[in-house]
Amino acid sequence: MARKKRPRRRNDQYRLPQRVAAAQRYAAGVAEDKPRPEPPQRRLIAVALGMFLLCLGMALFFWIPARSLVHDLRANGVTVPATVTGSDSKPKYVKVRYIQGENSGKEVKLSEYAGMLPDLHADDALLVTYDPEDPSRVLSRSWVISPPLNLPAYGTSALALFTFGLTLAVVVRRRWILRTPWPDHPLHGSSDGRNPGSTAVRLTKP
């Protein structure tokens, strides 16, 4: 006898087994769900803060003494002619000798302005302004009237602002991640920002 042919199941009537459908839904949920991002570590914040404080200290070092020297010489300085007695090629120092006034004949080194010195050579003549209470504090008259562009101070100030913004951004991001409630991720555990150390049950095959 010929076997009875089973009626073929139509494609639109075919349904996946329940376990397979559940596994597909689970995989889709894992693919769409995003775990809580890792918050920046406190060590990173400490490094960024240290860089900011270092740059701030350097900026203050270049700003405050230079501006204080110029302010004092403008207010109480004595202006006299002087002659350059020696300088090196970099220059690391410029020596001048007063040729008028109470300290005539005294030889001193020009004070640095934010680590800078004028480009002068031996036997050059110039006007200088010095502090009568401390003749070793002396600048060329032109620098007292119009100080040169303080590039070191501007550069370190820009770096200080950049590192401050970086530190602030890292702190804000850390607080945002830790304070934002994140949904539980089936593979990565709990994403609750208030309890980042908690873990959820890892699901296996449904």
Side-chain angles (χ1 to χ4, degrees):
M1 291 181 64
R3 290 187 181 179
K4 219 174 192 185
K5 291 185 178 180
R6 293 184 181 179
R8 290 187 179 181
R9 184 181 300 174
R10 294 174 57 184
N11 291 335
D12 57 355
Q13 293 180 350
Y14 178 77
R15 293 185 181 180
L16 292 173
Q18 185 176 1
R19 294 169 62 87
V20 176
Q24 288 183 345
R25 290 194 300 270
Y26 169 77
V30 171
E32 293 177 359
D33 196 8
K34 293 182 180 179
R36 175 180 63 86
E38 283 293 327
Q41 298 181 356
R42 293 182 179 177
R43 188 183 342 178
L44 178 61
I45 298 176
V47 170
L49 181 61
M51 291 176 60
F52 163 67
L53 293 177
L54 176 63
C55 293
L56 179 62
M58 293 175 62
L60 294 177
F61 172 78
F62 286 119
W63 273 118
I64 295 178
R67 297 306 303 174
S68 176
L69 176 61
V70 169
H71 179 270
D72 292 345
L73 294 181
R74 284 178 178 175
N76 305 310
V78 176
T79 300
V80 296
T83 303
V84 178
T85 59
S87 67
D88 64 357
S89 58
K90 292 190 179 179
K92 286 185 178 179
Y93 69 88
V94 175
K95 292 182 179 179
V96 298
R97 180 184 293 115
Y98 302 133
I99 57 178
Q100 283 185 8
E102 297 179 356
N103 294 287
S104 178
K106 185 173 183 178
E107 187 175 272
V108 296
K109 288 183 179 180
L110 282 180
S111 301
E112 293 184 354
Y113 180 85
M116 298 181 291
L117 288 167
D119 186 14
L120 296 170
H121 305 282
D123 298 329
D124 285 349
L126 72 159
L127 290 176
V128 296
T129 301
Y130 67 89
D131 186 347
E133 297 181 0
D134 184 5
S136 63
R137 301 181 70 208
V138 55
L139 287 175
S140 66
R141 180 62 180 170
S142 60
W143 280 24
V144 174
I145 297 173
S146 179
L149 193 63
N150 195 338
L151 293 178
Y154 284 120
T156 51
S157 298
L159 286 175
L161 288 175
F162 174 76
T163 52
F164 174 74
L166 178 63
T167 304
L168 186 62
V170 172
V171 171
V172 169
R173 176 169 175 78
R174 177 181 172 85
R175 290 178 64 86
W176 174 73
I177 292 175
L178 294 180
R179 288 173 175 255
T180 301
W182 298 83
D184 291 345
H185 193 280
L187 288 182
H188 301 278
S190 174
S191 299
D192 187 357
R194 292 167 293 184
N195 188 15
S198 63
T199 57
V201 176
R202 293 179 180 271
L203 298 179
T204 57
K205 200 172 184 182

